[in-house]
Amino acid sequence: QVQLVESGGGLVQPGGSLRLSCAASGGIFSINTMGWYRQAPGNERELVATIASGGRTNYADSVKGRFTISRDDAKNTAYLQMNSLKPEDTAVYYCQWAYGNLEVWGQGTLVTVSS
């Protein structure tokens, strides 16, 4: 089965940047869709961005122009570059591997945006 490991979270000041990584193993990475989701305390998990196998991307309105999702199929890794971070971006960020009726989630990495 596919396994995902996120990394790159941490504490950053408002206006700062972070890059999250999601390393996948056990699947055919090049043909799947990868996604990033986030969940803040008391909130439901929400979509941040997705990227299809052909490179097509989709973003939540709240992060458009600030976040960029990408994938490196040779490294079986997806990324989320987060710029101009705001306190409301504080959440646990999860990556998702999806293909057909299959979905696999990583364990999450905490991003805290605070001065």
Side-chain angles (χ1 to χ4, degrees):
Q1 186 69 18
V2 174
Q3 293 180 299
L4 306 175
V5 179
E6 300 103 328
S7 62
L11 175 64
V12 64
Q13 296 185 169
S17 298
L18 285 174
R19 188 177 77 157
L20 306 183
S21 298
C22 177
S25 63
I28 307 173
F29 185 86
S30 62
I31 65 173
N32 78 309
T33 296
M34 296 296 297
W36 286 97
Y37 293 72
R38 66 187 182 188
Q39 186 168 22
N43 292 357
E44 295 184 347
R45 187 172 299 185
E46 64 176 354
L47 171 71
V48 176
T50 61
I51 182 167
S53 61
R56 186 179 71 255
T57 58
N58 184 52
Y59 296 92
D61 288 343
S62 60
V63 307
K64 285 181 178 177
R66 299 189 298 121
F67 291 10
T68 302
I69 188 171
S70 61
R71 63 192 297 158
D72 186 338
D73 290 348
K75 297 181 178 180
N76 283 7
T77 302
Y79 304 94
L80 185 69
Q81 178 67 47
M82 305 185 295
N83 299 326
S84 301
L85 283 161
K86 305 174 181 179
E88 52 262 44
D89 295 318
T90 296
V92 177
Y93 284 71
Y94 300 89
C95 66
Q96 181 205 54
W97 181 100
Y99 184 74
N101 65 344
L102 300 177
E103 294 183 357
V104 178
W105 296 88
Q107 83 287 350
T109 185
L110 177 63
V111 173
T112 302
V113 185
S114 176
S115 60

